[in-house]
Amino acid sequence: MTLHSNAAQLVTLAEGGHHGPHASINPFVTGGGALLALLLLLWITTRFNRDR
């Protein structure tokens, strides 16, 4: 087996026979959830990092 044929098999395996993103994943919901999680982590970090 050559490197090219191994890479082609891995690409085929990674695709899984599906084309394009899954229909139920909304990028705005994903990005909003990530932003919310990061803001929550920032708030927690600043609460514990107060000077006394």
Side-chain angles (χ1 to χ4, degrees):
M1 296 191 117
T2 65
L3 181 62
H4 178 68
S5 65
N6 285 340
Q9 287 178 349
L10 287 174
V11 167
T12 304
L13 180 65
E15 284 179 350
H18 296 82
H19 297 288
H22 195 271
S24 66
I25 299 175
N26 188 344
F28 292 109
V29 173
T30 305
L35 179 64
L36 184 65
L38 289 173
L39 287 173
L40 179 66
L41 288 172
L42 179 64
W43 180 77
I44 291 170
T45 303
T46 54
R47 294 289 294 172
F48 283 112
N49 197 25
R50 287 192 173 181
D51 292 334
R52 296 174 189 207

